[in-house]
Amino acid sequence: EFLEVYDALIQSQIPLGLILDRNRMLIHTMGDIASVLKTTSGIFRGVIDDFLDGAAGTTLNAALIRAQRQPDTSFVLERIQPSQDRPDLYRVQVAALTLNSIQVVGWSIGFESMQMVDTPEGSSQESLRVRVDTSDSTEILESELEFTRESLRASMEEMEASNEELQATNEEMIASNEELQSTNEELQSVNEELHSVNAELNRKVGQLEESKNDLETFFASSNVGTVFLDAMMRIRKFTPAINRHINLLPRDVGRPLTDFTNRLGVANFDVLVKQVISSGDKCSLSGVDDFGEMTVINILPYVTGGVVSGAVFSVVTRAELSEGTTLMRSFDRSGVWEWPDVKSDSMWWSPTCYELLGLEVGSLASMSGFQELLHEEDRWQLSHKGTSRCPFATSGLLRLRLRCANGEFKGFELQGVSEVSEEGTIKSMSGMIAASNHFLLHTSGIPAKHKEYAG
């Protein structure tokens, strides 16, 4: 009810008008103000300048400033056209709203419609009439002059504000342009890095493809039957030589080993492989296969990142050794070694090799290191000058003395299989090593000065 009484009181004082706060924001309307001001449909909201066209806004702002300076005075503007879209003219009354007659807290603006009349020649379309208790024409002229000054000052303030806004906008555009240039440079840098990464990836892919081709070629040419299994005993890779004992085809990759029968002559072979995977311990055994040939089988855990992820087993038979050689006798323990490129010094030895010599795993990883352990009286077996083949290719079995970790020499039998190129040169080698209780040297092919060492 109070608000209704409040609205009725204001409506009685200002039938058609506005109430502004100290920031010139419209906070209340009286009457059909939408028919007077420049508006769009919706709620009235914003500063008074948003609802007046050019000259009317400047004139009214000057009156607001004047009313703020003289809060006890009511100002009347004649012939104001709030909207250029409508030709209606209004008499506008502006008064300041004060608190305790001192502090200005807002303004009241009233509108009164005027009849359309011709303006006498030489007269101004906008004038200010100040309600004061005097008839002195000089005071009226001074008041009008002050109004004109206020109008000019308000226009200058608006222009300065617009200029500052334009400068701020220009600075923002310059900053945005600099950011865009910086972003473009960063994108170019990222693009160059991507090109470099792409080139490096292409190089790595080429290397992987080359390594893959090398492995496939090695598997295809290897005379040692080898099978790689995953943790579930599924076949991952195999060499064609294994087909003598297990009939495998390329489409069998991914199938479990238990799906195939073997001719290894070993009972419960699948169980042995499973034990190696579960325990991580290797297994070496020898015997006679289904063809009556002596075989040596090595089952090793396949370790990646310190975790057993499968197994690999290899089978060596008399058929893979050179003619006229003796197969290495069956031992309780034997190690596996590989020399993948005879032009390189790098070799690989299984953990059993290190155990047999009492050495730390990884300390023996090259041919030069192996030769340092070899007894000097046995080194002639590794130096065949004038021929492209080495003793492994001609004799298959070597009996050597190697220095163990305790400094003592111990007898070993070394069995090797070599891969020979079309030109007759050795490309790679692999084989087994085991401790020998009967140290005997071959006498055929030994230089005269070495025959005295033959047993």
Side-chain angles (χ1 to χ4, degrees), residues 4 93 121 123 141 147 155 177 247 277 356 403 405 446:
E4 293 178 356
Q93 181 177 352
E121 185 177 356
S123 65
L141 292 175
F147 169 74
S155 298
N177 187 41
N247 189 21
I277 296 176
L356 294 173
R403 186 176 65 252
I446 302 178

Side-chain angles (χ1 to χ4, degrees), residues 393-410:
T394 56
S395 65
L397 179 65
L398 298 180
R399 294 186 176 91
L400 308 168
R401 286 170 289 182
L402 298 175
R403 186 176 65 252
C404 299
N406 58 9
E408 297 180 358
F409 284 93
K410 185 178 179 180

Side-chain angles (χ1 to χ4, degrees), residues 96-169:
L97 303 176
T98 60
L99 183 65
N100 300 326
S101 301
I102 298 175
Q103 182 181 0
V104 176
V105 295
W107 292 270
S108 65
I109 303 175
F111 292 88
E112 181 181 356
S113 179
M114 299 179 63
Q115 297 293 330
M116 295 291 295
V117 296
D118 294 334
T119 304
E121 185 177 356
S123 65
S124 174
Q125 290 186 354
E126 299 177 356
S127 62
L128 176 64
R129 178 163 54 85
V130 182
R131 292 183 179 176
V132 295
D133 296 332
T134 178
S135 59
D136 189 354
S137 60
T138 302
E139 186 176 352
I140 296 175
L141 292 175
E142 289 177 353
S143 178
E144 292 180 352
L145 179 60
E146 182 66 21
F147 169 74
T148 303
R149 290 175 180 173
E150 294 291 348
S151 298
L152 290 175
R153 186 177 295 108
S155 298
M156 291 180 63
E157 290 177 356
E158 291 180 359
M159 292 180 64
E160 290 177 357
S162 299
N163 186 39
E164 291 177 357
E165 292 178 358
L166 289 174
Q167 289 180 350
T169 302

Side-chain angles (χ1 to χ4, degrees), residues 244-410:
R244 172 180 173 84
H245 297 97
I246 305 175
N247 189 21
L248 296 177
L249 297 174
R251 64 172 178 268
D252 294 328
V253 172
R255 295 180 58 187
L257 182 66
T258 53
D259 286 357
F260 303 90
T261 58
N262 64 75
R263 295 180 287 273
L264 296 170
V266 178
N268 300 322
F269 180 72
D270 298 343
V271 176
L272 295 177
V273 175
K274 187 178 296 184
Q275 289 177 351
V276 170
I277 296 176
S278 60
S279 66
D281 297 328
K282 65 183 181 306
C283 176
S284 299
L285 61 152
S286 61
V288 179
D289 61 17
D290 293 351
F291 304 100
E293 292 284 349
M294 293 289 296
T295 61
V296 177
I297 305 173
N298 281 284
I299 310 173
L300 301 175
Y302 192 95
V303 181
T304 55
V307 178
V308 177
S309 59
V312 56
F313 67 87
S314 59
V315 183
V316 180
T317 67
R318 185 190 301 273
E320 277 83 53
L321 303 179
S322 300
E323 185 178 355
T325 62
T326 303
L327 182 68
M328 187 166 58
R329 295 189 302 272
S330 174
F331 298 97
D332 294 334
R333 301 175 65 194
S334 60
V336 180
W337 58 269
E338 182 181 4
W339 193 6
D341 184 1
V342 297
K343 295 181 180 179
S344 172
D345 191 41
S346 179
M347 296 184 72
W348 176 83
W349 298 81
S350 70
T352 306
C353 298
Y354 295 99
E355 293 178 9
L356 294 173
L357 293 169
L359 300 176
E360 182 181 354
V361 175
S363 60
L364 182 64
S366 63
M367 174 56 74
S368 58
F370 169 69
Q371 290 177 342
E372 290 179 0
L373 300 179
L374 185 61
H375 195 287
E376 61 179 4
E377 296 177 354
D378 297 335
R379 293 179 181 176
W380 62 270
Q381 298 186 69
L382 298 183
S383 59
H384 276 207
K385 297 181 180 180
T387 176
S388 60
R389 295 178 178 269
C390 69
F392 297 104
T394 56
S395 65
L397 179 65
L398 298 180
R399 294 186 176 91
L400 308 168
R401 286 170 289 182
L402 298 175
R403 186 176 65 252
C404 299
N406 58 9
E408 297 180 358
F409 284 93
K410 185 178 179 180

Side-chain angles (χ1 to χ4, degrees), residues 38-52:
K38 177 189 70 172
T39 64
T40 58
S41 60
I43 300 174
F44 281 81
R45 184 177 298 165
V47 296
I48 186 61
D49 293 347
D50 296 337
F51 306 101
L52 297 171

Side-chain angles (χ1 to χ4, degrees), residues 16-262:
L16 182 64
L18 308 169
I19 300 296
L20 306 180
D21 64 8
R22 68 182 65 190
N23 297 318
R24 301 183 189 180
M25 294 289 293
L26 191 151
I27 59 175
H28 193 78
T29 63
M30 288 77 70
D32 186 14
I33 197 65
S35 63
V36 177
L37 302 180
K38 177 189 70 172
T39 64
T40 58
S41 60
I43 300 174
F44 281 81
R45 184 177 298 165
V47 296
I48 186 61
D49 293 347
D50 296 337
F51 306 101
L52 297 171
D53 280 329
T58 301
T59 303
L60 188 57
N61 277 322
L64 294 174
I65 295 173
R66 189 73 179 275
Q68 184 175 13
R69 292 181 179 179
Q70 296 176 278
D72 57 346
T73 304
S74 177
F75 295 86
V76 178
L77 308 177
E78 302 285 349
R79 304 179 64 80
I80 298 298
Q81 183 180 357
S83 175
Q84 294 181 357
D85 295 335
R86 294 190 289 269
D88 300 337
L89 299 178
Y90 292 87
R91 178 181 292 109
V92 182
Q93 181 177 352
V94 180
L97 303 176
T98 60
L99 183 65
N100 300 326
S101 301
I102 298 175
Q103 182 181 0
V104 176
V105 295
W107 292 270
S108 65
I109 303 175
F111 292 88
E112 181 181 356
S113 179
M114 299 179 63
Q115 297 293 330
M116 295 291 295
V117 296
D118 294 334
T119 304
E121 185 177 356
S123 65
S124 174
Q125 290 186 354
E126 299 177 356
S127 62
L128 176 64
R129 178 163 54 85
V130 182
R131 292 183 179 176
V132 295
D133 296 332
T134 178
S135 59
D136 189 354
S137 60
T138 302
E139 186 176 352
I140 296 175
L141 292 175
E142 289 177 353
S143 178
E144 292 180 352
L145 179 60
E146 182 66 21
F147 169 74
T148 303
R149 290 175 180 173
E150 294 291 348
S151 298
L152 290 175
R153 186 177 295 108
S155 298
M156 291 180 63
E157 290 177 356
E158 291 180 359
M159 292 180 64
E160 290 177 357
S162 299
N163 186 39
E164 291 177 357
E165 292 178 358
L166 289 174
Q167 289 180 350
T169 302
N170 186 42
E171 292 175 356
E172 291 177 358
M173 292 181 65
I174 293 175
S176 299
N177 187 41
E178 292 176 352
E179 291 179 358
L180 288 175
Q181 290 179 349
S182 176
T183 303
N184 187 42
E185 293 175 356
E186 292 178 358
L187 289 175
Q188 290 179 348
S189 176
V190 171
N191 190 37
E192 293 175 357
E193 293 179 0
L194 287 176
H195 280 300
S196 300
V197 172
N198 188 43
E200 181 66 16
L201 287 175
N202 288 334
R203 187 179 69 84
K204 293 292 186 182
V205 169
Q207 291 179 349
L208 289 174
E209 187 67 23
E210 183 178 357
S211 299
K212 177 185 175 184
N213 293 335
D214 291 343
L215 285 175
E216 290 179 351
T217 302
F218 173 76
F219 287 155
S221 60
S222 175
N223 294 325
V224 178
T226 306
V227 178
F228 293 84
L229 306 172
D230 64 12
M232 303 300 295
M233 294 183 61
R234 293 186 293 250
I235 297 171
R236 295 177 56 244
K237 294 183 182 68
F238 62 89
T239 61
I242 197 62
N243 285 328
R244 172 180 173 84
H245 297 97
I246 305 175
N247 189 21
L248 296 177
L249 297 174
R251 64 172 178 268
D252 294 328
V253 172
R255 295 180 58 187
L257 182 66
T258 53
D259 286 357
F260 303 90
T261 58
N262 64 75

